[in-house]
């Protein structure tokens, strides 16, 4: 069959080979299949009893967005990020020969409160999107976002982003590391992923699919998926709740070092991926929906042995599929099916042949209202006929797609981000906000996704913004009050009379829209900023928004 028959899902992957019937084992594996009599259909196989207890595992006393967000980014994780960022900045300053005028020389350690304000700014940038990061602090009326300047200066935000780190480089051992391809961000990724699983128990129906994070830099595990919108990037395997899109578990593809199920040598790669994502949900009566990249008789038999149901689209060349499914031709509307125990494999001809595997369906075809077409002013009812398995597949397969769609509305990942581990961290942050919103809605919240994010940023700024640092080593009240005197900038070995850009003049733009560059030999030693003696020195210390 032509591969275009499966355009509904991603069918071209370079990292995991396809499973085809290239030997005699295929016929041996297919001998136990029994043809289903369409005229005398038996009832569909019963589902396994569901023993899960869906809902939040964490007791929530309030309903504010920041409480749900702090389920994932708690004090331990935020404190860990702050300590590793300070460690990395200290190592960088010690190992590099920096000039006296380098901005790195003015580095001040971050604390947990400032990291939370920093995260709030990243979330806000996903809502108020601008092509260049520096535009968020621009003074031009067309580009101005005054609120961000109140939270943190551009220089402080940039230098925190420069030194943002998640692991101690000196302690990394590639031979013993659980996933060397993610060594730069593994600790935070693993901790957040475990919190996704421990904070919530999903409903019975879950789905597994891929998500691609755009990245075109140099990276060994970078993937090319032509049917994804990003096409190039870092691939996430995700398990989501079908109804809400809650991201319950994820696995980042890093090649051969990707951790898989304990019994991985026995099974194909696609089977191991699904079992790795489902490992904590098996033997509880869950039902997982898959696309044709994962679905196979091998996986179905393994899941059934762990009291877990499965259904999804199927590639007809999978090992163990009956020959009639592979080679049989049908007319439009016809269906054939084969049963082996609880596993049913069917082929239905719509506009093109569709193959389905299910452990909870038979080959029954049901009528479904598709549209109501108006002809000559009269409403005409249009009825479509489809197998029940396809209808259920369309209802439960969209968990990952729903999460991806909602994350794309307010992206925290910037295309200009060059370091792959910072991109992954930004994506994890966005996923945490989304999961926080899902839990908020399940707890009775009424805000929309956008309002939830806006209030989250406001709460992060209000609660933690008071202890923020400033790259100018002074607060607004100190700048406008107190005693300030102009002094010469101290000479260096290269220049006896050095000059720097005036901080007030640099906020102006000329007629061509270019930033004004005016240098001065004077500074305010207390504020540690360069200023023209007149009128900038007076303006800086008397006008709140100069």
């Amino acid at each position: 069959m032509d591969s275009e028959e499966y355009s509904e899902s991603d069918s071209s992957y370079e990292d995991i080979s396809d499973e085809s019937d290239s030997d005699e084992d295929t016929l041996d594996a297919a001998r136990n299949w029994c043809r289903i009599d369409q005229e005398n259909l038996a009832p569909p196989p019963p589902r396994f009893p569901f023993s899960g207890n869906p809902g939040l595992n964490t007791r929530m006393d309030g309903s504010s967005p920041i409480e749900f967000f702090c389920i994932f980014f708690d004090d331990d994780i935020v404190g860990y990020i702050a300590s590793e960022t300070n460690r990395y900045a200290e190592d960088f300053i010690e190992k590099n020969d920096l000039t006296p005028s380098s901005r790195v020389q003015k580095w001040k350690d971050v604390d947990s409160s400032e990291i939370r304000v920093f995260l709030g700014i990243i979330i806000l940038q996903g809502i108020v999107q601008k092509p260049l990061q520096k535009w968020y602090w621009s003074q031009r009326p067309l580009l101005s976002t005054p609120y961000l300047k109140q939270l943190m200066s551009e220089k402080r935000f940039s230098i925190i982003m420069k030194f943002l780190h998640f692991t101690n480089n000196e302690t990394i051992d590639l031979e013993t590391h659980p996933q060397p391809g993610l060594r730069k961000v593994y600790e935070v990724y693993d901790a957040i992923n475990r919190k996704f699983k421990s904070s919530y128990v999903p409903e019975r129906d879950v789905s597994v699919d891929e998500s691609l994070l755009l990245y075109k830099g140099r990276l060994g595990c970078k993937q090319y998926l032509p049917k994804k919108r990003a096409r190039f990037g870092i691939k996430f395997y995700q398990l989501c709740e079908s109804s809400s899109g809650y991201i319950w578990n994820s696995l980042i593809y890093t090649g051969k070092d990707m951790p898989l199920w304990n019994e991985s040598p026995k099974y194909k790669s696609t089977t191991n991926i699904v079992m790795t994502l489902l490992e904590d949900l098996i033997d509880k009566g869950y039902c997982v929906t898959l696309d044709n990249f994962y679905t196979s008789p091998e996986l179905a038999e393994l899941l059934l042995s762990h009291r877990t149901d499965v259904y999804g689209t199927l590639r007809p060349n999978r090992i163990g599929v009956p020959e009639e499914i592979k080679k049989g031709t049908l007319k439009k509307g016809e269906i054939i099916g084969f049963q082996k125990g609880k596993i049913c494999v069917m082929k239905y001809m719509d506009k093109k042949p569709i193959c389905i595997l299910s452990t909870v369906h038979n080959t029954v075809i049901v009528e479904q209202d598709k549209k109501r077409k108006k002809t000559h002013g009269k409403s005409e009812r249009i009825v479509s006929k489809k197998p029940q398995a396809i209808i259920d597949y369309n209802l439960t397969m969209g968990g990952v797609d729903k999460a991806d769609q909602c994350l794309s509305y307010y992206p925290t990942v910037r295309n200009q981000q060059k370091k792959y581990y910072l991109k992954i961290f930004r994506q994890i942050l966005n996923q945490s906000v989304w999961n926080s919103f899902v839990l908020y809605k399940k707890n009775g919240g009424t805000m929309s996704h956008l309002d939830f994010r806006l209030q989250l940023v406001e709460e992060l700024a209000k609660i933690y913004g008071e202890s923020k640092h400033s790259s100018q080593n002074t607060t607004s009240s100190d700048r406008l009050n107190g005693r300030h005197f102009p002094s010469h900038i101290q000479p260096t070995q290269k220049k006896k009379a050095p000059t720097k850009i005036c901080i007030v003049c640099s906020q102006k733009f000329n007629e061509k829209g270019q930033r004004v560059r005016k240098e001065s030999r004077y500074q305010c030693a207390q504020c540690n900023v360069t200023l023209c003696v007149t009128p900038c020195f007076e303006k800086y210390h008397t006008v709140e928004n100069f």
Side-chain angles (χ1 to χ4, degrees):
M1 289 189 182
D2 187 24
S3 61
E4 293 181 357
E5 294 177 358
Y6 301 95
S7 59
E8 62 191 17
S9 58
D10 299 306
S11 58
S12 62
Y13 295 85
E14 297 178 358
D15 56 303
I16 298 177
S17 60
D18 189 21
E19 305 165 20
S20 57
D21 56 338
S22 56
D23 50 35
E24 296 181 357
D25 293 339
T26 305
L27 292 176
D28 295 336
R31 285 174 181 169
N32 296 329
W33 291 101
C34 298
R35 179 72 177 264
I36 296 177
D37 186 358
Q38 194 65 19
E39 295 182 357
N40 300 307
L41 278 179
R47 293 176 181 264
F48 288 113
F50 181 56
S51 59
N53 186 21
L56 278 73
N57 289 333
T58 305
R59 182 178 178 181
M60 303 300 297
D61 296 329
S63 59
S64 62
I66 195 170
E67 293 183 50
F68 291 93
F69 178 72
C70 288
I71 293 176
F72 309 117
F73 277 83
D74 57 11
D75 293 339
D76 293 338
I77 290 180
V78 175
Y80 175 81
I81 295 173
S83 63
E84 291 301 329
T85 299
N86 294 330
R87 184 204 306 273
Y88 179 67
E90 182 180 351
D91 292 344
F92 183 89
I93 294 172
E94 289 180 357
K95 295 178 181 179
N96 291 273
D97 186 14
L98 305 172
T99 61
S101 60
S102 173
R103 64 171 181 167
V104 177
Q105 295 282 19
K106 302 176 183 179
W107 166 260
K108 296 178 64 176
D109 284 352
V110 297
D111 56 19
S112 297
S113 296
E114 192 173 14
I115 288 293
R116 285 191 168 95
V117 175
F118 177 81
L119 298 179
I121 293 176
I122 294 178
I123 297 170
L124 182 59
Q125 288 178 349
I127 301 172
V128 184
Q129 300 177 34
K130 298 182 182 181
L132 298 179
Q133 182 172 282
K134 63 181 181 180
W135 283 8
Y136 288 99
W137 286 269
S138 174
Q139 298 299 309
R140 297 183 65 180
L142 288 174
L143 305 174
S144 177
T145 311
Y147 184 71
L148 278 185
K149 190 174 181 180
Q150 299 174 16
L151 299 180
M152 187 178 292
S153 69
E154 177 189 2
K155 291 183 180 179
R156 184 60 178 173
F157 180 85
S158 299
I159 200 169
I160 293 177
M161 183 62 71
K162 174 181 176 65
F163 290 132
L164 190 64
H165 220 67
F166 314 105
T167 189
N168 186 355
N169 295 335
E170 303 297 331
T171 61
I172 295 177
D173 187 357
L174 297 181
E175 295 183 358
T176 60
H177 198 280
Q179 197 168 2
L182 293 179
R183 58 188 178 276
K184 290 285 189 178
V185 72
Y186 180 80
E187 284 77 7
V188 173
Y189 158 72
D190 184 60
I192 296 293
N193 196 42
R194 282 188 277 107
K195 287 183 179 296
F196 286 171
K197 295 190 291 184
S198 63
S199 302
Y200 177 72
V201 178
E203 298 175 359
R204 182 190 62 183
D205 292 315
V206 295
S207 61
V208 172
D209 204 352
E210 306 87 29
S211 176
L212 195 68
L213 173 62
L214 175 64
Y215 185 77
K216 293 187 177 180
R218 297 180 63 181
L219 188 64
C221 61
K222 182 177 64 176
Q223 293 289 287
Y224 171 67
L225 304 181
K227 294 184 180 180
K228 294 291 185 181
R229 183 177 180 182
R231 294 192 300 152
F232 293 92
I234 302 167
K235 183 164 63 176
F236 286 69
Y237 298 107
Q238 292 182 344
L239 184 146
C240 294
E241 188 180 59
S242 297
S243 59
S244 66
Y246 180 88
I247 303 171
W248 192 81
N249 196 5
S250 65
L251 187 65
I252 300 179
Y253 173 78
T254 54
K256 294 182 179 180
D257 66 355
M258 183 172 62
L260 293 176
W261 196 41
N262 294 333
E263 301 182 27
S264 57
K266 298 181 180 179
Y267 304 104
K268 300 293 183 180
S269 298
T270 52
T271 299
N272 288 321
I273 291 171
V274 176
M275 294 303 298
T276 302
L277 294 173
L278 273 172
E279 187 170 7
D280 295 331
L281 298 181
I282 57 178
D283 296 311
K284 296 180 181 179
Y286 277 91
C287 182
V288 58
T289 310
L290 309 168
D291 66 11
N292 59 43
F293 178 59
Y294 305 98
T295 312
S296 67
E298 175 192 76
L299 175 61
E301 291 176 358
L302 180 59
L303 288 174
L304 288 178
S305 67
H306 289 281
R307 300 180 61 81
T308 303
D309 287 308
V310 60
Y311 58 87
T313 54
L314 174 71
R315 297 181 186 179
N317 61 348
R318 293 290 192 188
I319 295 177
V321 176
E323 286 295 320
E324 290 84 347
I325 296 291
K326 301 178 182 180
K327 300 179 180 179
T329 58
L330 302 174
K331 297 180 181 179
K332 186 173 182 179
E334 290 184 344
I335 186 172
I336 58 171
F338 292 83
Q339 192 83 27
K340 183 169 68 171
K342 205 168 182 290
I343 305 175
C344 174
V345 174
M346 67 192 82
K347 181 178 182 181
Y348 175 73
M349 177 61 74
D350 196 7
K351 294 180 180 179
K352 55 186 178 182
I354 302 173
C355 295
I356 299 285
L357 180 147
S358 176
T359 62
V360 294
H361 295 94
N362 56 13
T363 57
V364 63
I365 296 178
V366 297
E367 293 184 352
Q368 185 183 33
D369 287 344
K370 190 174 183 181
K371 292 181 181 178
R372 289 189 175 273
K373 184 178 179 182
K374 290 186 177 181
T375 56
H376 304 292
K378 296 182 179 180
S379 179
E380 181 181 354
R381 178 171 175 250
I382 298 177
V383 178
S384 64
K385 294 184 178 181
K386 291 182 179 179
Q388 184 64 47
I390 294 179
I391 295 175
D392 291 343
Y393 172 84
N394 292 334
L395 290 175
T396 58
M397 185 57 202
V400 178
D401 291 336
K402 181 176 182 178
D404 284 347
Q405 182 181 9
C406 294
L407 290 175
S408 68
Y409 295 152
Y410 315 109
T412 57
V413 180
R414 297 190 65 83
N415 294 337
Q416 295 89 347
Q417 195 82 60
K418 295 181 180 179
K419 296 179 180 178
Y420 80 95
Y421 60 88
L422 291 182
K423 275 216 166 188
I424 293 176
F425 173 75
R426 283 174 171 262
Q427 182 71 356
I428 295 171
L429 173 62
N430 206 13
Q431 291 177 354
S432 300
V433 178
W434 164 249
N435 278 356
S436 303
F437 171 70
V438 174
L439 296 185
Y440 164 81
K441 295 292 286 187
K442 288 183 175 291
N443 201 46
T446 57
M447 282 191 293
S448 66
H449 188 196
L450 176 59
D451 292 336
F452 178 89
R453 285 179 176 259
L454 288 173
Q455 186 167 329
L456 174 60
V457 174
E458 290 176 349
E459 291 176 350
L460 287 171
K462 182 178 180 181
I463 297 174
Y464 301 103
E466 295 180 357
S467 60
K468 69 180 185 299
H469 295 263
S470 172
S471 63
Q472 300 170 2
N473 298 325
T474 179
T475 63
S476 178
S477 60
D478 292 337
R479 175 170 63 86
L480 300 177
N481 301 309
R483 300 168 64 86
H484 304 272
F485 302 97
S487 62
H488 285 285
I489 299 176
Q490 295 297 321
T492 62
Q493 295 179 354
K494 295 182 179 179
K495 290 185 178 181
K496 294 182 179 180
T499 60
K500 295 183 180 179
I501 299 175
C502 173
I503 190 173
V504 176
C505 294
S506 63
Q507 304 300 323
K508 302 176 184 177
F509 295 85
N510 58 23
E511 297 177 353
K512 297 182 180 180
Q514 299 173 339
R515 189 182 293 274
V516 174
R517 180 184 177 90
K518 187 175 180 180
E519 298 190 355
S520 173
R521 290 185 57 194
Y522 296 90
Q523 67 176 353
C524 176
Q526 182 174 347
C527 298
N528 194 22
V529 294
T530 304
L531 295 163
C532 299
V533 175
T534 179
C536 299
F537 194 91
E538 179 182 357
K539 187 175 182 178
Y540 179 79
H541 293 104
T542 57
V543 180
E544 184 172 357
N545 294 317
F546 59 85

